[in-house]
């Protein structure tokens, strides 16, 4: 999972912790091996790369529902 942009309700460290507690791995870059990209405000090029590679893009609310 890759996190990009500014999340509204979580810090980056809190989001990473949620991913790890759910058994996931956090990466800093998007590749074909990436399963999900969580997109916050002002996501930058990682969101574009995810779309180009066909990686599933999640907003913060969907991310929270999946890791809860």
């Amino acid at each position: 999972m890759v996190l990009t942009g500014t999340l509204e309700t979580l810090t980056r460290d809190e989001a990473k912790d949620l991913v790890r507690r759910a058994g996931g791995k956090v990466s800093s870059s998007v590749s074909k091996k990436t399963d999900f990209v969580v997109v916050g405000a002002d996501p930058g090029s990682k969101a574009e790369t995810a779309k180009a590679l066909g990686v599933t893009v999640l907003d913060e609310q969907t991310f929270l529902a999946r890791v809860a």
Side-chain angles (χ1 to χ4, degrees):
M1 187 168 286
V2 174
L3 306 167
T4 186
T6 304
L7 302 177
E8 291 181 26
T9 63
L10 299 169
T11 66
R12 186 64 54 100
D13 286 339
E14 289 170 335
K16 287 179 181 180
D17 188 49
L18 285 174
V19 171
R20 291 182 185 118
R21 282 192 279 158
K25 180 182 168 190
V26 179
S27 178
S28 61
S29 61
V30 180
S31 73
K32 289 187 284 186
K33 294 181 179 183
T34 304
D35 292 316
F36 302 102
V37 175
V38 179
V39 176
D42 302 318
S45 64
K46 290 179 185 176
E48 297 298 322
T49 302
K51 290 176 187 174
L53 294 174
V55 175
T56 302
V57 176
L58 305 175
D59 62 20
E60 185 174 356
Q61 290 72 31
T62 305
F63 162 70
L64 289 171
R66 287 184 178 228
V67 297

